Each structure stands twice: as C-alpha cells, then as structure tokens.
C-alpha cells in the first residue's frame, strides 16, 4: 500500500501562486507515476498533471499548461505542483494520486490522497 498526504492549499486572489505538496510513504517502489487531479463542485474529477518517478517525464492538461509545473524531490517520494497565474476556474479540491497508469499517464491510478482545497477569488 501507498499512503499520500497533500498540503499547501488555500484561498488566494486571481493571479497569485500556490504550491501543493504530496508526500508518499509505504511501498512507494510499486508505483511509477504520481499525479494531480482536481474536482470542482458539480463537475467530474479531471486530470491536471503527472510525473514519472524514474525519469521525471511530465504531462499536463491543456488548461494548465504553461501555468502549472509538476516536479519531484531527489528521493522521488514527494511531488510538488507549482501553480502560477491562478484563475477562478482553477478553484477545486486537488488530489494527489499514485499508480502505474497507461494512456500517457492519464489512466487509472490506484492510490489517492485526501485532497486539499484551492480557492481562487476574482
């Protein structure tokens, strides 16, 4: 099993920045990818970004490309999501995920964190 704990959410104004963190523990060797998803009220959960632990390959949703950056620490057990130029439409609960997804890292993830709220005011 893999445990994931997110932190770093909050309330900010449009144009501001936030950095989310996700710390993985447990049998982290069984997952090759960590990612971020988000879910706004009344909407389906959507993919945001992902990073392959071994080589650092990243992929982003078009809606965040150029504004968000996903990265990992040297131990490859903590993943960050740097969010710049935040917009009100970025408001959502953000979830960290880990697994061995197919479909260019947008597929199924097996482990999920509890989520952290990001609210962007206009």
């Amino acid at each position: 099993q893999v445990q994931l704990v997110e932190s770093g959410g909050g309330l900010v104004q449009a144009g501001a920045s936030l950095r989310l963190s996700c710390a993985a523990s447990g049998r982290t060797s069984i997952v090759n990818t960590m990612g971020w998803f988000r879910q706004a009220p009344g909407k389906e959960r959507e993919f945001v970004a992902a990073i392959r632990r071994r080589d650092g390959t990243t992929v982003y949703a078009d809606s965040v490309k150029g504004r968000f950056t996903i990265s990992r620490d040297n131990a490859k057990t903590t993943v960050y999501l740097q969010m710049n130029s935040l917009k009100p439409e970025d408001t959502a609960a953000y979830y960290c995920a880990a697994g061995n997804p197919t479909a260019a890292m947008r597929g199924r993830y097996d482990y999920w964190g509890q989520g952290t709220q990001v609210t962007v005011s206009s």
Side-chain angles (χ1 to χ4, degrees):
Q1 294 291 330
V2 177
Q3 295 79 43
L4 303 172
V5 178
E6 304 105 330
S7 60
L11 170 62
V12 297
Q13 290 189 329
S17 298
L18 274 177
R19 189 175 83 154
L20 306 182
S21 299
C22 173
S25 60
R27 297 181 61 199
T28 56
S29 61
I30 65 175
V31 297
N32 63 24
T33 303
M34 293 180 70
W36 290 95
F37 289 73
R38 67 186 182 186
Q39 187 168 20
K43 294 188 177 182
E44 292 188 355
R45 185 173 60 195
E46 64 173 352
F47 172 83
V48 175
I51 186 166
R52 189 172 295 144
R53 294 179 64 226
R54 176 178 57 84
D55 60 10
T57 300
T58 59
V59 62
Y60 297 91
D62 288 344
S63 59
V64 306
K65 202 172 293 183
R67 298 189 298 123
F68 291 11
T69 302
I70 189 170
S71 61
R72 70 194 194 300
D73 68 346
N74 288 337
K76 303 175 184 178
T77 56
T78 298
V79 172
Y80 306 98
L81 186 68
Q82 178 67 42
M83 305 184 294
N84 298 329
S85 302
L86 282 162
K87 304 175 181 180
E89 50 263 46
D90 294 317
T91 295
Y94 283 71
Y95 296 90
C96 179
N100 301 292
T102 55
M105 294 188 275
R106 299 170 185 253
R108 172 183 166 180
Y109 285 74
D110 297 309
Y111 304 98
W112 295 84
Q114 80 287 355
T116 186
Q117 180 66 35
V118 172
T119 303
V120 184
S121 63
S122 57

